[in-house]
Amino acid sequence: MPERRTVALVTLGCARNEVDSEELAGRLAADGWELVEEAADADVAVVNTCGFVEAAKKDSVDALLEANDLKDHGRTQAVVAVGCMAERYGKELAEALPEADGVLGFDDYGDISGRLQTILSGGIHASHTPRDRRKLLPISPAERQDAAVALPGHAQTVSGEPTPPAGPPEDLPEGVAPASGPRAPLRRRLGSSPVASVKLASGCDRRCSFCAIPSFRGSFISRRPSDVLGETRWLAGEGVKEIMLVSENNTSYGKDLGDIRLLETLLPELAAVDGIERIRVSYLQPAEMRPGLIDVLTGTDKVAPYFDLSFQHSAPGVLRSMRRFGGTESFLELLETIRTKAPQAGARSNFIVGFPGESESDLAELERFITEARLDAIGVFGYSDEDGTEAASYEDKVDPDVVAERLARVSRLAEELTAQRAEERIGETLRVLVDRTDDEDGVVGRAAHQAPETDGVTLLSTDQELAPGRMVEAKVVASEGVDLVAEVLSVEGTGCTEEAGR
């Protein structure tokens, strides 16, 4: 009997990282590793790090140190860093954090089982050497699909060659998605939530002056529609009811496949998958929004009219310095176009304050936009230099104390405005997916305008027992900050109303 090997995956950062962790879990399970939830119960703790901003990097380091502490009083024998921070810093991270027994990059994912076995056995695997991953793929998007490059979410390569499938579906452990094509990854769910993310693409071709992501995630490359559909069908079979499509830039989907409007044709196909109740698209670039895409997002059954728009700022001068496009008026026009087609549509965005050269009048322009935009959720971040970015070399930096003051000021405004927007929804009838039930909050769900983790929740008032994954119709009767309180009117699939269920 083979020796029992256990592994726990600790995931930090965004939904893209969550998908990467489930891909690693699929590969490890297919190779005989036993997946456990708690790092303390694992032989190897794999920490999937985030390397986007300083706060996320600190969280990643803290998670690695916490996992390392388990070596003294738990089962854990090794701690391994993977993910964006490991890819971005590699050897530098290994030298700064000797507590990590391995620092693995994306190129190691294809043989993650072998890498972990080497480390667990006391061997040494050379720490990842960072490189600009934009240079690994052809400049022309149309030439990227056949490139033998390790791309999380697209299956992996070993030594420049596609990794063969782990075996026919009947040979895979229960709960592991089979690789249905040469670039379709194995996957195993790490939770039981009724929502799951699916990658549309990886990488980014935009060159925002504040962002380092393209340098360590690489250039943009789409997944083939058949792979996205196949993974969605598998997830539906695993009990998933809502699919969230993620990538660094979903509005570019299909450009390397010869059809920039491919998302418009894919969305109705995904919505038609048996068992799926909602499709949500995240990470949309305002400058790339198309009338046809707006039409599909606002007019397709089971596709949420949800617009996660990456505005970042609204003062034209600041946006140009960011190497972005648009401004307050064009952004407001975009939102008006969306709401004309779908009055209940959800909209959220993130903003950076204190960018080099940002004046008080620029900040006032941003505040004007946020005030008029009626966004459902707003994230506000203070600018800080990121290694290797163009903006790090800019002069006219805003004093850190001023950045902190502006961050607090705009955050207060955002909190007030999003609470007002939630209050505006009182009286609306919404389709709500039940996420969880607990003793403290009762039945907790999300409407179409509420993405997981970021946009608030809907607290459901009902005497019925509603399991996660049920879809209900509910009327909003109150708001609590960005959260809504709603009375259940009917439960889909049961034929009963709230009164009948009492």
Side-chain angles (χ1 to χ4, degrees):
M1 179 179 293
E3 182 182 355
R4 180 173 182 253
R5 302 175 299 174
T6 57
V7 59
L9 287 137
V10 180
T11 307
L12 296 96
C14 65
R16 300 185 296 273
N17 251 19
E18 293 173 4
V19 177
D20 289 351
S21 285
E22 294 197 346
E23 178 186 329
L24 292 174
R27 288 190 168 274
L28 290 166
D31 202 44
W33 289 77
E34 181 181 339
L35 296 161
V36 296
E37 291 187 11
E38 300 296 332
D41 299 327
D43 297 318
V44 183
V46 177
V47 180
N48 191 350
T49 61
C50 179
F52 182 40
V53 293
E54 286 303 319
K57 295 176 198 172
K58 182 181 183 302
D59 288 344
S60 295
V61 170
D62 289 345
L64 287 163
L65 292 174
E66 183 178 340
N68 183 71
D69 288 342
L70 297 173
K71 293 179 188 176
D72 296 330
H73 48 77
R75 178 188 177 99
T76 308
Q77 301 174 50
V79 175
V80 175
V82 299
C84 290
M85 190 175 181
E87 174 65 38
R88 185 176 182 183
Y89 295 104
K91 291 181 177 179
E92 182 182 340
L93 176 62
E95 293 170 0
L97 199 69
E99 291 86 353
D101 298 286
V103 175
L104 306 181
F106 298 151
D107 293 329
D108 294 304
Y109 283 19
D111 189 28
I112 187 67
S113 177
R115 302 290 193 263
L116 296 190
Q117 185 60 58
T118 295
I119 294 168
L120 182 60
S121 300
I124 297 175
H125 180 73
S127 296
H128 164 66
T129 300
R131 51 182 172 166
D132 189 338
R133 298 192 72 85
R134 289 171 293 192
K135 299 177 180 179
L136 301 182
L137 290 167
I139 293 176
S140 170
E143 298 175 3
R144 294 174 186 166
Q145 283 292 321
D146 296 325
V149 175
L151 298 167
H154 301 249
Q156 302 303 315
T157 62
V158 177
S159 302
E161 296 297 331
T163 304
E170 59 268 21
D171 291 342
L172 293 175
E174 184 179 354
V176 175
S180 56
R183 279 205 178 275
L186 299 172
R187 181 171 179 176
R188 176 165 175 170
R189 298 208 70 203
L190 293 174
S192 58
S193 169
V195 60
S197 297
V198 172
K199 277 194 181 182
L200 270 184
S202 63
C204 186
D205 286 342
R206 301 185 71 88
R207 294 295 179 263
C208 301
S209 62
F210 57 84
C211 183
I213 288 176
S215 67
F216 57 86
R217 277 285 184 181
S219 298
F220 185 89
I221 182 168
S222 303
R223 294 183 66 197
R224 295 189 180 277
S226 58
D227 290 344
V228 177
L229 275 164
E231 191 168 323
T232 298
R233 293 188 183 104
W234 175 79
L235 287 166
E238 293 290 303
V240 170
K241 299 299 181 183
E242 177 178 326
I243 293 295
M244 186 163 71
L245 299 176
V246 300
S247 75
E248 279 73 19
N249 177 10
N250 281 334
T251 33
S252 282
Y253 179 69
K255 73 175 187 178
D256 51 323
L257 294 171
D259 185 1
I260 190 60
R261 294 176 177 82
L262 193 57
L263 184 56
E264 286 95 305
T265 58
L266 177 62
L267 284 171
E269 294 184 72
L270 292 170
V273 172
D274 286 344
I276 296 299
E277 295 294 336
R278 180 184 289 156
I279 300 291
R280 183 185 304 278
V281 184
S282 59
Y283 305 110
L284 300 169
Q285 287 292 339
E288 297 182 32
M289 290 300 295
R290 307 175 290 276
L293 180 56
I294 294 174
D295 287 343
V296 172
L297 288 170
T298 57
T300 306
D301 186 37
K302 295 189 178 181
V303 173
Y306 174 79
F307 293 82
D308 176 13
L309 295 160
S310 178
F311 290 125
Q312 301 299 344
H313 212 283
S314 74
V318 175
L319 287 166
R320 300 304 173 270
S321 294
M322 290 179 168
R323 297 204 178 277
R324 297 178 66 84
F325 306 94
T328 296
E329 299 309 325
S330 64
F331 291 165
L332 289 174
E333 288 174 7
L334 173 60
L335 290 169
E336 178 62 25
T337 297
I338 291 167
R339 288 169 176 148
T340 297
K341 295 178 180 294
Q344 288 187 343
R348 77 169 322 277
S349 192
N350 294 322
F351 299 92
I352 298 172
V353 298
F355 192 79
E358 181 191 61
S359 65
E360 278 294 332
S361 61
D362 291 330
L363 190 69
E365 182 71 1
L366 174 60
E367 291 174 317
R368 179 172 79 88
F369 170 67
I370 293 176
T371 300
E372 297 183 26
R374 295 171 56 235
L375 299 173
D376 292 280
I378 297 172
V380 187
F381 301 88
Y383 172 81
S384 62
D385 287 340
E386 280 294 314
D387 298 334
T389 62
E390 181 183 350
S393 66
Y394 285 0
E395 298 180 357
D396 200 15
K397 296 283 172 59
V398 179
D399 183 270
D401 290 340
V402 175
V403 174
E405 185 277 327
R406 291 179 180 178
L407 174 61
R409 169 176 150 188
V410 177
S411 295
R412 286 193 299 270
L413 177 63
E415 184 176 355
E416 176 184 341
L417 292 171
T418 52
Q420 290 177 7
R421 177 65 183 126
E423 190 174 357
E424 289 177 13
R425 290 192 178 273
I426 295 176
E428 290 185 358
T429 298
L430 306 175
R431 196 165 178 254
V432 180
L433 177 69
V434 176
D435 263 349
R436 58 184 170 84
T437 60
D438 58 47
D439 293 337
E440 181 178 353
D441 297 320
V443 183
V444 182
R446 289 176 299 100
H449 70 279
Q450 296 170 320
E453 308 295 337
T454 59
D455 300 344
V457 298
T458 298
L459 305 173
L460 293 170
S461 175
T462 178
D463 290 338
Q464 298 186 60
E465 292 187 9
L466 297 174
R470 296 308 299 263
M471 190 71 77
V472 305
E473 186 179 73
K475 183 176 181 179
V476 181
V477 296
S479 62
E480 300 176 358
V482 296
D483 298 333
L484 303 178
V485 179
E487 293 181 348
V488 174
L489 302 176
S490 64
V491 181
E492 294 187 11
T494 64
C496 67
T497 64
E498 169 65 9
E499 290 297 323
R502 291 184 176 180

